[in-house]
Amino acid sequence: MTTTLLSFLFAITILTMTPGFDTALVLRSAAAQGWKRASATAFGVTLGCLIWGVAVGLGLGALLLASETAYNLLKWIGAAYLLYLGIKLVLNPRSQPEEVETNKAQQGFVACFSRGLFGNLLNPKVGVFYVTFLPQFIPAGASVALWCTLMALAHMLLGLMWNAVLIGGSRYFSRQLRQPRVLKIMDRLTGCVFIGFAAKLALSRR
């Protein structure tokens, strides 16, 4: 069991450190909005992983793997959501950092958390990956739901630690990256990246 767990931790660490949509989302939030809102985004992303793990343990992941209709439905919803985020950033980039007043900051935290959470939950490839990946590390006769949840929790904790490293590193460049001209360029570039991810997800197959 020790060897199995070490193998899982090694594999999931490599997965966590591989750049993707979640990484781009967290880095964009860190550079444009500061470390606190980026932390909210990271928590939303990693909470999405935990929810996927619980869902896979309860059988939703198997449904996505078995049902092409269910997979395609969630895939198109996810692609549409990413496309919406991308077009919004391209057409309406910010010229000033967001205000830090209490009420606006609170709304900002909720928005950043929701963006990270739904960006993860609306990606069916996460569910399909979990349902094909996690069972390899479940001991014979053990509770599938319990082990899937524990492994997803481990993934969530690793994700939070890695995102903390990313967010911490981005603070060195925060002053330059928060300049109005740079903010516009970053928002538009990030929007293009999101649109690219939306196209990639829409064209993907199981």
Side-chain angles (χ1 to χ4, degrees):
M1 184 179 293
T2 300
T3 302
T4 300
L5 290 177
L6 289 176
S7 299
F8 167 76
L9 289 175
F10 175 78
I12 209 69
T13 298
I14 296 300
L15 172 68
T16 301
M17 296 176 67
T18 301
F21 167 72
D22 294 343
T23 302
L25 194 61
V26 172
L27 285 177
R28 182 260 178 186
S29 296
Q33 299 171 290
W35 70 271
K36 291 184 179 180
R37 296 187 185 184
S39 298
T41 301
F43 184 69
V45 168
T46 53
L47 181 60
C49 292
L50 179 60
I51 294 174
W52 269 117
V54 174
V56 167
L58 296 176
L60 177 59
L63 173 63
L64 287 177
L65 189 63
S67 172
E68 184 174 358
T69 301
Y71 177 86
N72 286 334
L73 177 61
L74 191 54
K75 179 184 76 172
W76 285 110
I77 293 175
Y81 180 70
L82 294 181
L83 183 63
Y84 163 75
L85 291 179
I87 292 177
K88 183 178 180 181
L89 287 171
V90 170
L91 297 181
N92 189 29
R94 292 162 304 139
S95 59
Q96 297 291 336
E98 295 183 8
E99 299 293 335
V100 293
E101 299 171 11
T102 303
N103 59 338
K104 291 186 179 180
Q106 183 64 32
Q107 292 176 359
F109 291 138
V110 173
C112 288
F113 170 79
S114 300
R115 191 177 300 119
L117 177 64
F118 289 110
N120 185 285
L121 290 180
L122 292 176
N123 185 353
K125 301 191 78 171
V126 178
V128 172
F129 173 81
Y130 267 25
V131 79
T132 56
F133 180 74
L134 297 186
Q136 303 175 51
F137 304 96
I138 299 176
S143 169
V144 174
L146 176 61
W147 274 85
C148 282
T149 300
L150 290 176
M151 286 188 285
L153 181 60
H155 189 192
M156 178 181 180
L157 294 176
L158 282 171
L160 287 174
M161 289 187 288
W162 175 240
N163 282 314
V165 173
L166 294 177
I167 293 169
S170 70
R171 294 187 66 186
Y172 290 104
F173 309 101
S174 60
R175 179 172 298 178
Q176 291 76 16
L177 293 174
R178 290 171 69 88
Q179 294 177 6
R181 182 179 179 183
V182 176
L183 278 176
K184 285 187 176 182
I185 295 174
M186 175 173 292
D187 275 3
R188 285 175 174 150
L189 287 176
T190 305
C192 291
V193 171
F194 286 179
I195 292 172
F197 276 114
K200 182 179 179 181
L201 180 58
L203 297 175
S204 66
R205 297 183 178 180
R206 290 186 298 168

